[in-house]
Amino acid sequence: MHEIEIKFQVSPAQRSAVDAAVAGRAPPARTRLQAAYHDTAERTLAKAGLALRLRREGRLWVQTLKGATDDSITRLEHNVPRGRAAAMPPVDPQLHAATPVGEALLALLAGRDAPALAVVYRTDIRRRARALRTPQGRVELAFDAGSIHAGDRKAGVLELEIELLGGSPRAVFDTARRWLARFDLWLDVRSKAERGDLLARGASIAPPRLASAVRLTPQMTAAQAWQAVLRSCTDQITANASQIASGEHGDEHVHQLRVGLRRLRSALRLFDGLGADAALAEPAATLFRRLGSARDQVVIEGEFAAGLLAAMRAAGVAGDAPVAAPAHAHVPPTEVLRERSSQTLLLKLLAACHAPGTDASQSERQRDSEGERSVVADPSARVHDRMPVPEPGPEPALALRQRLARRLNRWHREVVTDTQRFAELDDAGRHRLRKRAKRLRYAAEFSAALFERRALRRYLRRLRALQERLGALGDVVMAMQAFAPDRDPDRDGDPRAMFALGWLAGRREQLIAAAAPQLKAFGKVERYWKRD
């Protein structure tokens, strides 16, 4: 079976209120759930996204196997009652045979030298649960309070779970939105098993979630392709957002969350009119900008501080390196992620991953037919050739590869045009080029499986080199803006700040001059989509 569930962390201040709301007018009794999670010494199951537990539910033991899927809130699950007993029965992986998740487990444990299973961590939870009927289906509200134990290490649990019992997944999302509006909650896509595995390893935080590869196929509709890309972006966004919202995270979690948001924004542009939900664009852009000050501060205090201080010493400028004023009021990333607007965006992303696919609109098909000539329809055609306007009437849907190639071609031309006039661009124009290069890169990566690999690798190699050069230049410009006198009137006339501005201006000119090879190389790169 598939389990569809959204989980929120509850602040201690809201514990009593959430418990009372779950209890309702006729409070159900709390149930004690004591579970032992099994794995090998090498964490074979955890690495494969599986969790195997024996849990005592009242007086009954239940053996459960769960497996991850391609989205953050759906899991494969198989439960087997193990009877009533005072002591925990031995775990038996064979009980899950003939199920998809069970076959995956047995394959991992097959062979004479199969690794032995042992209890790795335990949970002790008191749960209050109540079923709720909504217009879209039935859900279960479950408020869990307790702890996770691994040896002498312990982590607290205070969670609200909303699980689909029957009907449409919309029932879960609609219920989640209502409870988010009532209480101080934040989404957590990490399972108890994931948190327990971290605890058993002595780790306090999960590694940052990097972008996962997208595997599109030529047979997909545009709506299906959008769903595949959306799931990849959402996975990266929600995993890093959950870790940041927990209050324990590193700078790389913030960076990877911003990468996920940038990928999402690029995908929304790539699939505009092809199934993408345009309403996601503005809140994604807002969250991206709000996290920018944290990222900029890391760059200034890390990448530039040491070099600036060394240059000051060499020039005989006394004192410590000046402190830059951030472009915007700095709000800690954890606070940003726990805000209702951020949590609402995360819920919308998850809901969009479960929305039914739709065909491309007639207006988009008309724009395709009236736009630039498809580079995949005629590989010998020049970029600026145009198709004649078709006669009115129905048009067969274009293949996914053709649709995406047209947009890649248009974005490629924009980047090439800017590289050719790079010397004429001001800082704002070079920043625009940087954003266009990022958007083009993500679009190429999303659609990579649709095109010939060797030409694609050459293209991406040159595009990434250009993007890295533009990124270094953009960071210098950002630092110059942070050190500008109008950012901090009290610093006006400070020789250290003036030195920093001069030093950064020199670096900017060096980077502009050094970008020539990447600009020239990208202008000559072969457009890999013309091969099909």
Side-chain angles (χ1 to χ4, degrees):
M1 61 175 287
H2 285 75
E3 173 192 67
I4 298 178
E5 175 185 273
I6 287 179
K7 180 171 60 182
F8 290 109
Q9 296 295 337
V10 179
S11 66
Q14 291 285 354
R15 175 174 181 164
S16 297
V18 173
D19 183 42
V22 171
R25 297 180 178 178
R30 292 185 179 89
T31 301
R32 188 176 186 184
L33 306 174
Q34 296 172 292
Y37 287 77
H38 295 69
D39 206 336
T40 69
E42 296 78 19
R43 300 177 50 249
T44 305
L45 275 64
K47 292 176 182 177
L50 299 176
L52 178 63
R53 78 181 181 213
L54 275 162
R55 187 168 75 179
R56 188 173 184 175
E57 304 176 3
R59 298 176 60 187
L60 178 67
W61 288 96
V62 178
Q63 182 173 307
T64 299
L65 177 63
K66 294 190 179 186
T69 65
D70 61 353
D71 72 70
S72 304
I73 65 168
T74 305
R75 291 180 175 85
L76 297 172
E77 179 178 350
H78 185 238
N79 298 293
V80 182
R82 297 295 306 275
R84 301 173 185 269
M88 182 176 69
V91 69
D92 184 359
Q94 291 293 335
L95 294 175
H96 304 289
T99 68
V101 68
E103 293 304 314
L105 172 66
L106 295 176
L108 289 175
L109 302 178
R112 292 185 177 181
D113 299 326
L117 292 171
V119 176
V120 181
Y121 52 91
R122 299 174 182 270
T123 59
D124 191 356
I125 305 295
R126 291 190 180 276
R127 167 174 291 181
R128 192 193 298 277
R130 173 167 64 93
L132 181 68
R133 188 177 297 278
T134 77
Q136 291 78 34
R138 294 176 62 250
V139 300
E140 181 185 68
L141 304 172
F143 178 58
D144 289 350
S147 55
I148 306 172
H149 303 262
D152 59 355
R153 293 181 289 272
K154 179 180 177 180
V157 173
L158 208 59
E159 300 173 347
L160 173 67
E161 296 180 355
I162 305 174
E163 182 178 352
L164 183 66
L165 299 179
S168 168
R170 283 187 55 193
V172 172
F173 297 114
D174 289 351
T175 304
R177 279 190 286 268
R178 290 195 298 271
W179 283 72
L180 175 62
R182 292 176 62 187
F183 302 104
D184 182 19
L185 308 174
W186 54 270
L187 180 75
D188 193 355
V189 297
R190 304 170 302 168
S191 65
K192 291 184 181 70
E194 291 173 281
R195 294 182 63 197
D197 178 64
L198 284 173
L199 193 67
R201 292 189 283 122
S204 59
I205 59 176
R209 183 66 58 85
L210 306 181
S212 59
V214 178
R215 302 295 183 189
L216 304 185
T217 66
Q219 294 74 32
M220 284 182 171
T221 65
Q224 290 170 336
W226 157 246
Q227 282 290 315
V229 173
L230 174 64
R231 285 193 295 270
S232 174
C233 296
T234 300
D235 174 71
Q236 184 179 17
I237 291 169
T238 56
N240 289 299
S242 294
Q243 189 63 67
I244 295 168
S246 76
E248 293 185 290
H249 65 89
D251 294 335
E252 188 63 17
H253 290 91
V254 179
H255 174 64
Q256 289 300 325
L257 172 54
R258 294 184 83 242
V259 170
L261 290 166
R262 174 70 78 181
R263 293 174 71 232
L264 172 65
R265 295 170 66 192
S266 299
L268 287 165
R269 293 288 299 277
L270 181 64
F271 288 91
D272 180 30
L274 303 178
D277 183 356
L280 296 171
E282 183 176 348
T286 299
L287 180 56
F288 180 85
R289 287 192 297 268
R290 296 203 62 202
L291 294 169
S293 62
R295 185 264 177 191
D296 292 347
Q297 205 68 32
V298 169
V299 173
I300 293 171
E301 296 176 357
E303 181 177 341
F304 292 135
L308 174 58
L309 186 59
M312 289 173 57
R313 294 290 180 265
V317 179
D320 297 329
V323 177
H328 306 284
H330 178 62
V331 180
T334 294
E335 292 185 23
V336 173
L337 263 299
R338 290 192 184 185
E339 289 177 2
R340 185 177 300 176
S341 59
S342 301
Q343 292 298 309
T344 299
L345 170 62
L346 300 180
L347 281 179
K348 287 181 177 178
L349 287 174
L350 292 172
C353 289
H354 287 264
T358 56
D359 292 329
S361 67
Q362 179 63 35
S363 61
E364 173 61 22
R365 289 196 293 270
Q366 184 175 355
R367 285 199 300 271
D368 278 344
S369 65
E370 296 175 354
E372 70 236 19
R373 187 184 184 106
S374 171
V375 295
V376 296
D378 182 1
S380 65
R382 291 177 299 173
V383 172
H384 299 291
D385 286 346
R386 297 283 177 174
M387 292 181 66
V389 177
E391 295 294 328
E395 178 199 4
L398 291 174
L400 174 65
R401 185 159 46 191
Q402 289 178 291
R403 290 179 178 276
L404 299 187
R406 289 184 172 187
R407 297 197 173 181
L408 288 167
N409 198 56
R410 183 166 65 248
W411 292 357
H412 171 89
R413 292 207 317 270
E414 291 175 349
V415 173
V416 169
T417 298
D418 281 349
T419 61
Q420 292 172 343
R421 52 190 294 266
F422 187 74
E424 306 168 14
L425 299 177
D426 57 10
D427 287 338
R430 287 187 284 265
H431 180 62
R432 182 188 64 231
L433 171 58
R434 177 189 183 184
K435 292 195 296 184
R436 285 176 170 175
K438 281 186 178 182
R439 182 182 66 181
L440 179 58
R441 171 193 162 186
Y442 292 139
E445 291 173 345
F446 292 148
S447 58
L450 299 176
F451 300 98
E452 196 272 323
R453 292 184 180 181
R454 186 174 301 176
L456 170 67
R457 283 196 295 266
R458 287 196 296 268
Y459 185 89
L460 282 174
R461 185 165 57 248
R462 293 190 182 183
L463 179 56
R464 287 168 180 158
L466 174 63
Q467 181 188 329
E468 289 173 6
R469 182 68 71 180
L470 295 171
L473 177 58
D475 286 344
V476 169
V477 173
M478 173 274 297
M480 290 179 66
Q481 295 170 346
F483 281 107
D486 59 355
R487 286 285 172 82
D488 187 355
D490 295 334
R491 199 173 54 197
D492 190 16
D494 183 349
R496 299 174 305 155
M498 299 305 295
F499 181 89
L501 282 171
W503 178 72
L504 288 166
R507 290 197 63 172
R508 178 181 62 179
E509 296 309 310
Q510 292 172 356
L511 288 169
I512 290 174
Q518 286 79 25
L519 296 167
K520 184 178 180 180
F522 187 75
K524 295 181 178 180
V525 70
E526 179 185 11
R527 284 161 287 162
Y528 61 90
W529 53 84
K530 291 185 68 176
R531 290 187 164 220
D532 293 340

